[in-house]
Amino acid sequence: MQPQPPPLSSVLGALYARVPLGMRLGLDAMRAACTRSGNPEAAFPVVHVGGTNGKGSTSAMVEAIARAAGMRTGLYTSPHLTRFAERIRLDGEPVADDALTALLDEALAIGADLSFFETATLAALLAFRAAKVDLAVIEVGIGGRLDATNVVPPPRCAAVTRVALDHQDRLGETLEAIAREKAAIAKPGSPIVLGRMPPPVRAAAEEVARAAGARVIALDDEARPLLPAAIGLPGRYQEDNAEIAWRIAEVLGIDEAARARGLAAARWPGRFERIATPYGPVLLDGAHNPDGIRALVSAVRAAREPIGAVVFGALADKAWRAMEEELGVIDAPRFHAAPQGRAAAPLEGTRPLAEALAAARRAAGPSRVVLVCGSIYLVGEVRGLLLGLPADPPVAL
């Protein structure tokens, strides 16, 4: 009689027990685990996407385009909004609970010394190998050079979307230093698409990529071509991400018609996502650093969203003061709520989430929009609350 597999709650508990190891930078443990599991990272073609902001949206667009072209796809992203299974997707859908249970159980056993993020990454690689995907789109966790996802062999294409100040304690204090870390996903013979960056930052990224033997495709700062396709993801800042996804798909040899279909069909929750409720509209955006907030404010203005109130919350290790300053141009009352995950920023007047949302709705009235931003964990919690979704604990990894 075969032993019964452990329930999903049990393997998730074992996985979450590894959270204290943090987002460990370094590839030795991950490479050893891949070797023990028969090198799943080498079993399928990969698109590898890094960047400070926009990498999740870009990854979602590339995956949607590949699916529109008839490919069987895998998509690995982090963090999750409500359920851990969102991180590992097959053909656009989160992996099923029974399959996720088996994958995590296997990854936990193979990599007893792995961190939370390394274990999740190994589970994704195992999932994509088992599913025999035609293409896996893999989002970098932090940085690039020492990120657990960088065990993949030379990809079909890599990309760095944007470079902004974030995780300076891990990646460096300047944009140029951060760009070098992110561009280090470049590998010999593989194209790498670089999004729009200030010239010195782009020069730093190009230097690293060319030294690795990659072919650099840098988006021209002056030329912003109109894509011959609708963009399924709302928000003006998605235009740059869509252009990067379009160029990646071009490198992959996907025809223009499939690119257009995929770009129009792409969905990525929690990014300029408008949710209608019986009490009035809510706009969710996972912007969690000053660069992201600036892009959000620009998108709000471009869309002429009638913002009636803002609910803001951030993690303590983020530049929350600078984010609040960027939000100051939105003329609306602001309410503070603490996101789940790690330590929250000590914002004045912080109140429980439900209370902050109710106060914001009273201030906005039934017709104007309540904007929620500052932390992807806060956005995930609000989204789950508004839509009545089941949730796994959030993890800032």
Side-chain angles (χ1 to χ4, degrees):
M1 186 174 179
Q2 292 288 346
Q4 289 295 312
L8 178 57
S9 59
S10 175
V11 293
L12 282 176
L15 176 64
Y16 275 69
R18 299 185 178 189
V19 167
L21 287 174
M23 181 72 85
R24 181 170 60 186
L25 295 182
L27 298 178
D28 290 346
M30 191 68 194
R31 282 175 175 151
C34 284
T35 298
R36 290 194 295 273
S37 54
N39 296 107
E41 77 285 1
F44 41 79
V46 168
V47 168
H48 201 191
V49 183
T52 307
N53 294 316
K55 60 184 184 289
S57 295
T58 301
S59 297
M61 292 183 200
V62 173
E63 187 274 337
I65 290 171
R67 210 162 4 104
M71 296 183 188
R72 180 152 173 72
T73 61
L75 176 64
Y76 177 58
T77 60
S78 60
H80 58 273
L81 279 177
T82 52
R83 296 201 62 223
F84 178 88
E86 297 165 16
R87 296 175 181 238
I88 305 173
R89 294 174 182 259
L90 294 172
D91 292 329
E93 295 297 328
V95 66
D97 283 0
D98 55 348
L100 179 61
T101 300
L103 289 164
L104 288 176
D105 193 43
E106 182 180 1
L108 287 161
I110 290 169
D113 59 337
L114 296 183
S115 68
F116 174 96
F117 185 73
E118 289 165 337
T119 307
T121 302
L122 179 59
L125 299 176
L126 294 170
F128 300 156
R129 179 175 66 182
K132 296 181 170 59
V133 300
D134 300 312
L135 184 74
V137 182
I138 295 179
E139 179 193 5
V140 172
I142 289 180
R145 180 173 64 92
L146 298 176
D147 186 74
T149 64
N150 206 26
V151 295
V152 298
R156 290 282 304 280
C157 190
V160 177
T161 54
R162 291 171 68 89
V163 175
L165 294 176
D166 204 3
H167 301 294
Q168 291 100 305
D169 58 327
R170 304 281 191 102
L171 306 179
E173 294 294 333
T174 67
L175 292 177
E176 290 83 357
I178 294 171
R180 290 188 182 95
E181 287 292 316
K182 293 184 180 297
I185 62 173
K187 292 185 171 63
S190 291
I192 183 167
V193 178
L194 302 180
R196 290 187 174 82
M197 306 170 190
V201 180
R202 184 170 59 198
E206 285 194 26
E207 180 185 4
V208 170
R210 293 191 194 282
R215 175 167 67 90
V216 175
I217 303 169
L219 299 190
D220 190 330
D221 288 330
E222 301 303 321
R224 290 177 179 266
L226 290 173
L227 294 176
I231 300 172
L233 301 187
R236 189 167 71 176
Y237 57 79
Q238 296 292 5
E239 293 174 5
D240 282 349
N241 297 331
E243 188 181 348
I244 294 168
W246 189 270
R247 295 300 297 273
I248 292 171
E250 190 176 42
V251 168
L252 297 176
I254 296 174
D255 66 74
E256 194 166 299
R259 279 180 252 162
R261 290 196 305 273
L263 205 58
R267 299 291 181 267
W268 200 232
R271 282 74 172 178
F272 213 76
E273 181 183 18
R274 210 176 201 269
I275 295 178
T277 80
Y279 313 104
V282 177
L283 182 64
L284 305 177
D285 195 276
H288 57 277
N289 53 46
D291 179 71
I293 295 291
R294 279 192 294 275
L296 168 60
V297 169
S298 176
V300 164
R301 286 174 165 170
R304 298 184 178 180
E305 286 285 2
I307 304 299
V310 177
V311 175
F312 176 80
L315 297 182
D317 62 352
K318 297 296 183 180
W320 50 272
R321 291 186 180 88
M323 285 194 276
E324 282 234 287
E325 289 177 10
E326 297 288 348
L327 277 173
V329 300
I330 294 180
D331 185 18
R334 195 175 313 163
F335 302 89
H336 293 145
Q340 297 183 48
R342 295 179 306 199
L347 294 159
E348 184 178 351
T350 294
R351 59 183 80 186
L353 175 59
E355 186 180 323
L357 282 173
R361 177 49 63 202
R362 287 194 296 271
S367 59
R368 291 190 297 167
V369 175
V370 172
L371 171 64
V372 180
C373 62
S375 164
I376 200 163
Y377 310 103
L378 180 68
V379 163
E381 189 179 358
V382 172
R383 191 172 192 273
L385 184 65
L386 294 179
L387 299 179
L389 302 174
D392 295 320
V395 180
L397 298 171

